[in-house]
Amino acid sequence: MVVDALEYLPGYARSGDAGADLRITESVTLQPGERRLVGTGVRIALPAGTFGMVTPRSGQAAKRGLGIVNSPGIIDSGYRGEIRICLINLDTKTTVELQEGERVAQLVVVPFISAQFIPVAEIDETERGQGGYGSTGQQ
């Protein structure tokens, strides 16, 4: 994969990690409930048949309430712009202060299969059927 990084190259914290850490290129203060689009300074050329998923870092979420509005964010293989992250402070009381260069998200590169959508009059039945949210109950 080709990467153009102005300052902060994505990197894996440990061997075997699925997510490469992404850092921000500016210091940011987020009030409770506030969201802001921030840059990473990274542009990538993903191989055909793959996409990038930008996800929150679990430590930032647990310790500070930092999330990503459209998580996971999807990066298509044809996109060549800067990876930007829409951060949100989910804490209801505390301001989140982030410093330039801080790791705030992870990039996971994933293979995929393109679907062919075929209109039909009806869809086959399954045991689950139309059971959606909460349909399995608690056990």
Side-chain angles (χ1 to χ4, degrees):
M1 173 174 25
V2 178
V3 177
D4 175 16
L6 300 174
E7 291 185 55
Y8 305 109
L9 192 65
Y12 297 100
R14 294 185 180 86
S15 176
D17 285 356
D21 291 329
L22 292 171
R23 299 173 183 269
I24 54 174
T25 58
E26 62 183 287
S27 294
V28 176
T29 299
L30 296 171
Q31 299 301 320
E34 184 180 5
R35 65 183 180 269
R36 173 129 10 117
L37 193 59
V38 296
T40 64
V42 173
R43 297 183 319 142
I44 57 176
L46 293 166
T50 67
F51 70 98
M53 276 195 318
V54 177
T55 64
R57 293 188 69 239
S58 58
Q60 291 277 20
K63 294 174 188 171
R64 301 167 95 178
L66 186 67
I68 298 176
V69 174
N70 64 320
S71 179
I74 302 298
I75 303 168
D76 293 310
S77 63
Y79 178 66
R80 293 297 184 267
E82 178 185 13
I83 297 173
R84 295 172 54 94
I85 306 165
C86 192
L87 296 173
I88 186 167
N89 178 2
L90 297 170
D91 193 290
T92 60
K93 298 179 180 123
T94 307
T95 298
V96 172
E97 301 218 11
L98 302 167
Q99 303 304 312
E100 177 185 335
E102 195 164 343
R103 298 176 301 160
V104 298
Q106 295 183 40
L107 171 65
V108 179
V109 179
V110 183
F112 72 91
I113 299 169
S114 290
Q116 291 185 338
F117 298 97
I118 303 167
V120 296
E122 56 185 70
I123 297 176
D124 64 319
E125 293 295 323
T126 65
E127 182 179 338
R128 180 175 183 167
Q130 295 183 34
Y133 293 107
S135 65
T136 60
Q138 294 180 353
Q139 296 191 31

